Amino acid sequence: MQTKHRTTRAALAVLFAALPLTLAAAGTGTAAASVGLDDAHKKEIAMELVSSAENSSLDWKAQYKYIEDIGDGRGYTAGIIGFCSGTGDMLELVQHYTDLKSGNVLAKYLPALKKVNGSDSHSGLGSAFVNDWKTAAKDTVFQTAQNDERDRVYFNPSVKQAKSDGLRALGQFVYYDAIVMHGPGNSSDSFGGIRAAAMKKAKTPAQGGDEATYLNAFLDARKVIMKQEEAHADTSRVDTEQRVFLNAKNFDLNPPLKWKVYGDPYQINS
């Protein structure tokens, strides 16, 4: 089952246009009074938290070169945010890289990436592509391209949506981690579908609801989807990471932070 959906620039423009421009428009000033996940230090924390779950390491900058097929039906998973050859975001990343630097080592794979999009096929890719990905990862232009696409497809939309829902840094991270795994979109197994399911159980803070109650509803809804897919059936990134912070009422996601993912302990002290 593929749950990480391709989102085009046009679709994201519609998403941004649909969101309130200010928290006042959403009827809450909660998030505005605290530091959001888009603060440079908070964003660094978010990247380390995601990396602990995606790569079993806090060193997210070492993941530009990461690439493997994890057997989840999405083909290759690679880079700092798990761009997938089967879901379109890897294709758009390589296209963006090529727009920034024509003739790069990955540009020749664009036709193959277009053909395998929507499948787990390695046709036209294989070991040569894996090796060239690792070579490209040494190029700062490719690193910039990965950062750009992470922000465009995942980070910016999730943080903006969370702010409009009246959520502080923890809630913004909860949204970000969910969109990384499940992808943007409105189907039941995407980020939008999980959010819709949560909103049937609890009101967002912007709607006058309790922040902890809503976030618990969101995490409950996410776990239902995670358990439907074998590759994501381990829900420790929810149970022993995000809910640990939520139970501690650390809504601003302030260090020190201690958590476990897949049984491995991590901490961020400052």
Side-chain angles (χ1 to χ4, degrees), residues 7 10 16 25 27-28 39 114 120 155 161 168 178 181 197 208 213 221 261 270:
T7 297
F16 276 120
T28 179
D39 169 80
K114 290 176 182 177
D120 62 357
F155 190 83
Q161 180 66 72
R168 286 173 277 180
M181 176 178 284
T213 300
V261 182
S270 61

Short mmCIF file of all heavy atoms in Angstrom, two decimals, residues 7 10 16 25 27-28 39 114 120 155 161 168 178 181 197 208 213 221 261 270:
data_model
loop_
_atom_site.label_atom_id
_atom_site.label_comp_id
_atom_site.label_asym_id
_atom_site.label_seq_id
_atom_site.Cartn_x
_atom_site.Cartn_y
_atom_site.Cartn_z
N THR A 7 2.47 15.41 -4.48
CA THR A 7 1.78 16.69 -4.42
C THR A 7 2.50 17.68 -5.33
O THR A 7 3.67 17.94 -5.16
CB THR A 7 1.75 17.25 -2.99
OG1 THR A 7 1.02 16.34 -2.17
CG2 THR A 7 1.07 18.60 -2.95
N ALA A 10 1.22 23.10 -8.02
CA ALA A 10 -0.11 23.71 -8.14
C ALA A 10 -1.00 23.32 -6.98
O ALA A 10 -1.72 24.15 -6.42
CB ALA A 10 -0.76 23.29 -9.46
N PHE A 16 -1.95 26.28 0.30
CA PHE A 16 -1.54 27.49 1.00
C PHE A 16 -2.62 28.56 0.92
O PHE A 16 -2.88 29.26 1.88
CB PHE A 16 -0.23 28.03 0.41
CG PHE A 16 0.99 27.38 0.96
CD1 PHE A 16 1.87 26.69 0.14
CD2 PHE A 16 1.27 27.44 2.31
CE1 PHE A 16 3.01 26.09 0.66
CE2 PHE A 16 2.41 26.83 2.84
CZ PHE A 16 3.27 26.16 2.00
N ALA A 25 -7.18 35.08 12.27
CA ALA A 25 -8.27 34.65 11.39
C ALA A 25 -8.79 33.29 11.81
O ALA A 25 -9.94 32.93 11.55
CB ALA A 25 -7.78 34.59 9.94
N GLY A 27 -8.95 32.40 14.86
CA GLY A 27 -9.61 32.55 16.15
C GLY A 27 -8.75 32.15 17.33
O GLY A 27 -9.26 31.83 18.39
N THR A 28 -7.41 32.14 17.15
CA THR A 28 -6.56 31.79 18.28
C THR A 28 -5.26 32.54 18.20
O THR A 28 -4.76 32.83 17.12
CB THR A 28 -6.25 30.27 18.30
OG1 THR A 28 -5.40 30.01 19.41
CG2 THR A 28 -5.58 29.80 17.04
N ASP A 39 11.18 28.34 13.54
CA ASP A 39 12.36 28.93 14.15
C ASP A 39 13.55 28.01 13.88
O ASP A 39 13.42 26.78 13.91
CB ASP A 39 12.13 29.06 15.67
CG ASP A 39 13.40 29.40 16.42
OD1 ASP A 39 13.79 30.58 16.43
OD2 ASP A 39 14.01 28.47 17.00
N LYS A 114 10.30 8.82 -14.19
CA LYS A 114 8.93 9.06 -14.66
C LYS A 114 8.21 7.73 -14.90
O LYS A 114 7.03 7.59 -14.59
CB LYS A 114 8.95 9.90 -15.93
CG LYS A 114 9.39 11.34 -15.71
CD LYS A 114 9.49 12.12 -17.02
CE LYS A 114 9.98 13.54 -16.79
NZ LYS A 114 10.14 14.29 -18.06
N ASP A 120 6.85 0.07 -7.46
CA ASP A 120 8.06 -0.21 -6.69
C ASP A 120 9.20 -0.67 -7.60
O ASP A 120 10.21 -1.18 -7.14
CB ASP A 120 7.80 -1.25 -5.61
CG ASP A 120 7.35 -2.60 -6.17
OD1 ASP A 120 7.20 -2.72 -7.42
OD2 ASP A 120 7.16 -3.55 -5.39
N PHE A 155 7.62 20.33 5.04
CA PHE A 155 7.76 21.16 6.22
C PHE A 155 6.84 22.38 6.20
O PHE A 155 6.06 22.59 7.14
CB PHE A 155 9.22 21.60 6.38
CG PHE A 155 9.51 22.27 7.70
CD1 PHE A 155 9.78 21.51 8.83
CD2 PHE A 155 9.50 23.65 7.81
CE1 PHE A 155 10.03 22.12 10.05
CE2 PHE A 155 9.75 24.27 9.03
CZ PHE A 155 10.01 23.50 10.15
N GLN A 161 -0.29 24.57 8.30
CA GLN A 161 -1.57 23.99 8.69
C GLN A 161 -1.69 23.90 10.20
O GLN A 161 -2.74 24.22 10.78
CB GLN A 161 -1.75 22.61 8.08
CG GLN A 161 -3.07 21.92 8.41
CD GLN A 161 -4.25 22.65 7.80
OE1 GLN A 161 -4.45 22.61 6.59
NE2 GLN A 161 -5.04 23.34 8.61
N ARG A 168 0.94 24.63 18.85
CA ARG A 168 2.29 25.10 19.12
C ARG A 168 3.33 24.15 18.53
O ARG A 168 3.00 23.27 17.76
CB ARG A 168 2.46 25.28 20.64
CG ARG A 168 1.72 26.51 21.17
CD ARG A 168 1.75 26.58 22.69
NE ARG A 168 0.70 25.74 23.29
CZ ARG A 168 0.51 25.62 24.61
NH1 ARG A 168 1.29 26.28 25.45
NH2 ARG A 168 -0.46 24.86 25.07
N ALA A 178 3.98 13.31 10.54
CA ALA A 178 2.92 12.55 9.87
C ALA A 178 2.96 12.75 8.36
O ALA A 178 2.82 11.78 7.59
CB ALA A 178 1.56 12.95 10.42
N MET A 181 5.78 10.73 6.70
CA MET A 181 5.51 9.30 6.52
C MET A 181 4.36 9.03 5.56
O MET A 181 4.45 8.15 4.70
CB MET A 181 5.19 8.63 7.86
CG MET A 181 4.80 7.16 7.72
SD MET A 181 4.48 6.32 9.30
CE MET A 181 6.15 6.09 9.90
N ALA A 197 -9.88 12.64 10.28
CA ALA A 197 -10.35 11.65 11.25
C ALA A 197 -10.22 12.17 12.67
O ALA A 197 -11.11 11.96 13.52
CB ALA A 197 -9.56 10.35 11.09
N GLY A 208 -11.58 26.09 19.36
CA GLY A 208 -11.95 26.18 20.76
C GLY A 208 -11.69 24.92 21.56
O GLY A 208 -12.08 24.82 22.72
N THR A 213 -6.05 17.24 24.03
CA THR A 213 -7.11 16.32 23.59
C THR A 213 -7.08 16.14 22.09
O THR A 213 -7.18 15.01 21.58
CB THR A 213 -8.49 16.86 24.02
OG1 THR A 213 -8.52 16.98 25.45
CG2 THR A 213 -9.60 15.93 23.58
N ALA A 221 -5.53 8.54 15.51
CA ALA A 221 -5.92 8.34 14.11
C ALA A 221 -4.73 7.92 13.27
O ALA A 221 -4.84 7.08 12.37
CB ALA A 221 -6.53 9.63 13.56
N VAL A 261 12.91 5.38 20.04
CA VAL A 261 12.30 4.94 18.78
C VAL A 261 12.83 3.55 18.49
O VAL A 261 14.06 3.34 18.51
CB VAL A 261 12.63 5.88 17.60
CG1 VAL A 261 11.94 5.39 16.34
CG2 VAL A 261 12.21 7.30 17.91
N SER A 270 19.88 20.60 24.50
CA SER A 270 19.73 22.05 24.38
C SER A 270 19.33 22.46 22.97
O SER A 270 19.32 21.62 22.06
CB SER A 270 21.04 22.75 24.75
OG SER A 270 22.08 22.36 23.88
#
